[in-house]
């Protein structure tokens, strides 16, 4: 039940403006014992259109089972993949202005049996950057990247 502060930011270490996308991977087996489910996302940038997320949109309209699942690690653990794309390019040397969550916590009412079934307590943070030049916007840049 104790919140753990998490502030993942991404720094553009390149020499050109770049579009940034982050993926937060939450173990499927952990998801049900997280306090308030996905409500830990800090929503201001999403609400203002500065960041987009197909996964959050899917979750909000159709529930968690519509969010993409991926496997990671030696144990092939299944994760929900939450994507967050910054709509404006990040300048060289700058950090992303927003982190996807403020804190995360296990529900204080989670039972020992529920916690025993959790395969991993690791929440993984991955990031992609694409040089902004040559693309109309972040969506076009990542569409080109994803279709390779």
């Amino acid at each position: 039940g104790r919140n753990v502060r998490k502030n993942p930011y991404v720094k553009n270490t390149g020499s050109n403006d770049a579009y940034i996308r982050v993926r937060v991977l939450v173990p499927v087996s952990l998801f049900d014992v997280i306090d308030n489910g996905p409500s830990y996302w800090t929503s201001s940038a999403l609400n203002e259109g500065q960041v987009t997320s197909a996964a959050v949109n899917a979750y909000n309209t159709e529930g968690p089972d519509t969010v993409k699942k991926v496997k990671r690690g030696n144990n092939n653990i299944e994760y929900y993949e939450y994507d967050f794309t910054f709509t404006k390019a990040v300048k060289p040397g700058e950090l992303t202005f927003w982190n996807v969550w403020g804190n995360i916590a296990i529900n204080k009412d989670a039972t020992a049996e529920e916690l025993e079934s959790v395969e991993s307590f690791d929440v993984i943070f991955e990031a992609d950057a694409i040089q902004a030049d040559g693309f109309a916007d972040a969506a076009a840049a990542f569409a080109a990247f994803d279709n390779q």
Side-chain angles (χ1 to χ4, degrees):
R2 188 180 85 216
N3 283 328
V4 177
R5 197 88 182 124
K6 298 290 183 184
N7 295 322
Y9 292 94
V10 177
K11 182 177 184 178
N12 179 357
T13 60
S15 57
N16 298 299
D17 291 1
Y19 292 119
I20 306 287
R21 173 178 62 188
V22 298
R23 289 179 308 284
V24 179
L25 306 178
V26 179
V28 171
S29 62
L30 175 65
F31 193 82
D32 289 336
V33 297
I34 293 175
D35 193 29
N36 296 319
S39 66
Y40 52 81
W41 308 123
T42 54
S43 58
S44 58
L46 286 166
N47 293 340
E48 295 169 5
Q50 298 169 323
V51 176
T52 62
S53 175
V56 171
N57 290 343
Y59 179 89
N60 288 339
T61 58
E62 301 174 44
D65 290 332
T66 60
V67 175
K68 179 181 177 182
K69 294 177 186 170
V70 297
K71 293 189 177 188
R72 293 287 191 277
N74 294 336
N75 295 332
N76 229 11
I77 294 172
E78 191 170 43
Y79 291 83
Y80 287 117
E81 180 182 282
Y82 284 89
D83 63 303
F84 298 91
T85 301
F86 291 80
T87 58
K88 292 186 179 176
V90 176
K91 298 209 175 294
E94 289 187 355
L95 295 171
T96 51
F97 68 92
W98 173 80
N99 59 67
V100 299
W101 70 67
N103 58 58
I104 190 168
I106 301 298
N107 187 322
K108 64 179 171 50
D109 297 324
T111 66
E113 183 177 272
E114 289 171 323
L115 294 172
E116 191 173 283
S117 67
V118 174
E119 294 179 286
S120 175
F121 288 92
D122 294 332
V123 175
I124 300 171
F125 184 83
E126 300 175 339
D128 301 311
I130 296 178
Q131 181 176 314
D133 289 342
F135 295 102
D137 55 29
F142 286 109
F145 178 80
D146 292 339
N147 291 325
Q148 290 184 7

